[in-house]
Amino acid sequence: MTALSVALVNLKPGTGKTTSAVWLAHVFVEAGHTVLLVDADPSGSALEWSDLAAMNPGLPPQAAFPFRIVALPSRNLHRRLPEIALEDHEGIARSAMRYVDEILIPCAPSPIEINRTTPVRDEISEVEELRDRPGRSAVLLNRCVARANSTASARAALEDLGYGVLRTVVPRLEVYAQSFGLPIPGAGRDVWRRVAQDLLDRPVSLGTVPS
């Protein structure tokens, strides 16, 4: 069975890594895929989210986050991940980038956010020679204002810097900004379904897991 592993990486906090990972995990499960979400953030944001969502009285606990989630904030994540199925943020990010098929960089469409992706790009370049197989990377434009010129300008600027940019952009909506700690609602999933499809359509070098 084909497997796709994706790391949401940005060394700057508050870029939407946890939000993107959780929403993507839900839409992949909805599409019939088996999902393992690895929370490599030392603060355990995704794990905390799942614990809070499980306390929602409107759903059975297992229905709030219908996939396996584990905490693994380790510099040796690239070695330990295959054993289970994915302190020092840079070391953890570097380890994740050694393992995954796709490195996804969440980024808002502003000059300062684009400039702050440079450390990630440098890390990707350094890690590439350590990888066992080729990987891919792309930027996920998020927190985009509807019909604003900033989104197209950011895409052009990122592509000029040599980044791939996913076709789908994530708008700045309250349903995403206020979703932490809650079960993921039906409203707002369409955007993440398109992001998931963008990832599946990309010609990455995929690993395999036993059928």
Side-chain angles (χ1 to χ4, degrees):
M1 180 172 64
T2 300
L4 172 66
S5 53
V6 181
L8 278 295
V9 177
N10 194 318
L11 300 181
K12 178 182 177 294
T15 57
K17 297 184 292 293
T18 299
T19 300
S20 300
V22 168
W23 280 82
L24 276 172
H26 276 82
V27 298
F28 273 123
V29 168
E30 179 187 66
H33 301 285
T34 300
V35 171
L36 169 66
L37 176 58
V38 176
D39 189 352
D41 186 340
S43 66
S45 300
L47 199 61
E48 181 184 5
W49 187 339
S50 71
D51 289 343
L52 292 170
M55 293 187 289
N56 188 284
L59 287 173
Q62 68 276 12
F65 267 48
F67 47 84
R68 188 179 178 199
I69 177 169
V70 297
L72 193 56
S74 169
R75 289 194 202 183
N76 294 316
L77 184 146
H78 63 286
R79 295 193 182 97
R80 296 177 61 188
L81 261 180
E83 299 171 7
I84 62 172
L86 249 210
E87 71 228 11
D88 173 353
H89 286 264
E90 292 188 18
I92 294 167
R94 189 178 302 115
S95 183
M97 289 190 285
R98 287 181 62 175
Y99 174 81
V100 297
D101 300 307
E102 182 86 47
I103 300 163
L104 193 58
I105 308 165
C107 179
S110 70
I112 190 169
E113 291 282 334
I114 293 169
N115 286 341
R116 287 175 175 172
T117 64
T118 300
V120 180
R121 183 176 58 183
D122 294 342
E123 290 288 348
I124 292 171
S125 297
E126 291 181 15
V127 163
E128 190 59 37
E129 63 187 40
L130 303 175
R131 290 177 55 92
D132 296 329
R133 62 188 188 279
R136 292 288 298 270
S137 62
V139 171
L140 170 64
L141 280 170
N142 63 8
R143 294 166 289 154
C144 298
V145 177
R147 296 181 294 278
N149 293 331
S150 58
T151 302
S153 297
R155 181 183 294 277
L158 287 162
E159 290 175 347
D160 285 345
L161 289 171
Y163 290 107
V165 183
L166 291 193
R167 291 170 300 188
T168 303
V169 303
V170 180
R172 189 169 68 186
L173 296 175
E174 285 294 290
V175 69
Y176 306 141
Q178 302 301 321
S179 59
F180 178 81
L182 299 172
I184 297 300
R189 292 196 184 202
D190 280 348
V191 169
W192 293 101
R193 291 183 189 115
R194 293 196 296 273
V195 173
Q197 193 59 54
D198 286 351
L199 290 169
L200 292 173
D201 288 345
R202 283 169 61 76
V204 296
S205 175
L206 299 181
T208 59
V209 297
S211 300

